[in-house]
Amino acid sequence: MKTCLIVDDSRVIRKVSRHILETLGFDVSEAENGQTGLDACEMNMPDVVLLDWNMPVMTGIEFITQLRKRPGGNAPKVVFCTTENDVAHIREAISAGADEYVMKPFDHETLQIKLQLVGFA
């Protein structure tokens, strides 16, 4: 089964994302910040990471930078899910190792399209 880790400090976003991902056939786990997300990746590297930008403890950019340095850390497809929509933020995310980018709020169809673009829907 495809696996996805949702890394977002918003419980509501995690719940909505989980629901969408489970209907798409994913086994879903959650982390409320970048550090707990990295810890989860150490235990079991997911196929896909949905990643928030602005979080306490460790930002999304810090998370992806650390993830990509770890053994196996280049394997997961990372989709940034954020309210940051300017070109500079998108470039920074892609440069840091993100595979795709989706704006909040997003719906089932939008997330499914982004997952198709990275080969996982």
Side-chain angles (χ1 to χ4, degrees), residues 45-48 67-68 70-78 99 120:
M45 195 65 75
D47 296 315
V48 178
L67 176 69
R68 295 304 194 206
R70 293 176 183 226
N74 283 325
K77 297 296 182 183
V78 176
D99 297 287
F120 273 97

Side-chain angles (χ1 to χ4, degrees), residues 3-116:
T3 59
C4 183
L5 173 64
I6 303 166
V7 184
D8 198 304
D9 59 322
S10 167
R11 192 166 35 100
V12 172
I13 295 293
R14 291 195 313 267
K15 183 177 181 179
V16 170
S17 300
R18 173 183 282 275
H19 176 72
I20 293 170
L21 289 159
E22 287 177 345
T23 65
L24 295 172
F26 281 86
D27 181 26
V28 180
S29 54
E30 300 177 17
E32 68 275 1
N33 64 58
Q35 186 57 59
T36 55
L38 281 177
D39 295 344
C41 289
E42 285 286 320
M43 306 260 286
N44 191 13
M45 195 65 75
D47 296 315
V48 178
V49 176
L50 284 190
L51 181 61
D52 186 23
W53 189 292
N54 297 306
M55 296 179 287
V57 184
M58 179 185 287
T59 68
I61 290 292
E62 291 168 333
F63 169 88
I64 195 168
T65 301
Q66 291 297 315
L67 176 69
R68 295 304 194 206
K69 291 178 183 174
R70 293 176 183 226
N74 283 325
K77 297 296 182 183
V78 176
V79 179
F80 259 101
C81 301
T82 183
T83 57
E84 305 290 350
N85 67 347
D86 58 89
V87 174
H89 277 96
I90 295 169
R91 278 196 191 118
E92 185 178 357
I94 300 300
S95 294
D99 297 287
E100 209 27 90
Y101 202 94
V102 65
M103 290 299 303
K104 289 180 184 176
F106 52 84
D107 59 13
H108 186 283
E109 183 180 354
T110 303
L111 188 55
Q112 185 173 9
I113 289 167
K114 293 297 183 174
L115 290 169
Q116 285 172 341

